[in-house]
Amino acid sequence: MHNKATYETALLGMLFALAMALSFLESTLTPVLGLMPAIKIGLSNIVVMYALLMLGRRPAFLLVLLKAGFAFLVRGATAGFLSLCGGGLSFFTFCVLLALPFPVTGYIFSVCGALAHNTGQLLGAAVLLSDRMALGYAPILLVCATVVGSATWAVSHALFPALQKVLPGRGRGESKIKF
């Protein structure tokens, strides 16, 4: 029992480090790709999807909280709050999709997660800043979420089967989502 807890703690730490490295990478790619500062590729969210599907809800939710805390420490209170709003709504959406009585494709899973993430951030921005500003950004961010969700699906589709062989988890959600 102790070894399992140690293994999961170490794996969660590595996944958090990977999520932070991917977050840094996507923040450097945003200007290179000519994207607006609010638009991110969503690479670090792949780590949350992996954690949820292979390790379960608790580790995935801890990653959402750790990512928001890291954003708070590095980029400030607004970024931390928006990260929590987006990550929280995305996590909730993933859990709802996993609870459906039928399997969902990895594409739908990824795109719904990206849409929920951007919707959560828009709701957070409406609370903190201005509902008009959030409404103005909404069409752009929701279209971008569809594109980004497609990209995260493509990466997940390529990586998850290989990762499953290297890092075996409980695989609670893997049978519900068809990557």
Side-chain angles (χ1 to χ4, degrees):
M1 184 68 160
H2 182 67
N3 287 338
K4 181 182 176 188
T6 303
Y7 172 80
E8 287 187 1
T9 301
L11 183 57
L12 185 63
M14 288 189 299
L15 290 175
F16 176 60
L18 177 61
M20 295 307 89
L22 290 172
S23 180
F24 175 75
L25 175 65
E26 63 189 15
S27 68
T28 59
L29 288 177
T30 298
V32 171
L33 297 174
L35 300 174
M36 295 173 13
I39 299 173
K40 301 284 188 263
I41 302 169
L43 296 174
S44 64
N45 293 330
I46 294 171
V47 179
V48 174
M49 286 192 309
Y50 175 82
L52 179 62
L53 294 174
M54 301 304 161
L55 303 175
R57 288 186 177 138
R58 185 177 179 274
F61 186 66
L62 284 172
L63 277 176
V64 169
L65 293 177
L66 287 168
K67 283 177 56 181
F70 186 78
F72 174 80
L73 291 173
V74 173
R75 292 179 285 161
T78 301
F81 179 72
L82 294 178
S83 176
L84 184 61
C85 290
L89 189 56
S90 181
F91 175 78
F92 176 76
T93 301
F94 288 149
C95 290
V96 168
L97 290 171
L98 286 172
L100 292 175
F102 50 86
V104 176
T105 67
Y107 179 79
I108 296 297
F109 192 72
S110 297
V111 169
C112 286
L115 287 166
H117 196 278
N118 283 3
T119 300
Q121 288 189 327
L122 286 168
L123 291 171
V127 169
L128 284 182
L129 306 170
S130 159
D131 54 348
R132 282 192 169 159
M133 185 275 309
L135 282 173
Y137 269 105
I140 296 166
L141 288 181
L142 295 178
V143 168
C144 287
T146 305
V147 173
V148 164
S150 299
T152 58
W153 168 78
V155 172
S156 301
H157 180 70
L159 286 179
F160 284 7
L163 286 175
Q164 222 173 346
K165 294 174 187 171
V166 177
L167 297 170
R170 289 177 277 181
R172 292 184 163 181
E174 66 189 71
S175 63
K176 297 284 290 183
I177 307 300
K178 303 297 180 192
F179 276 95

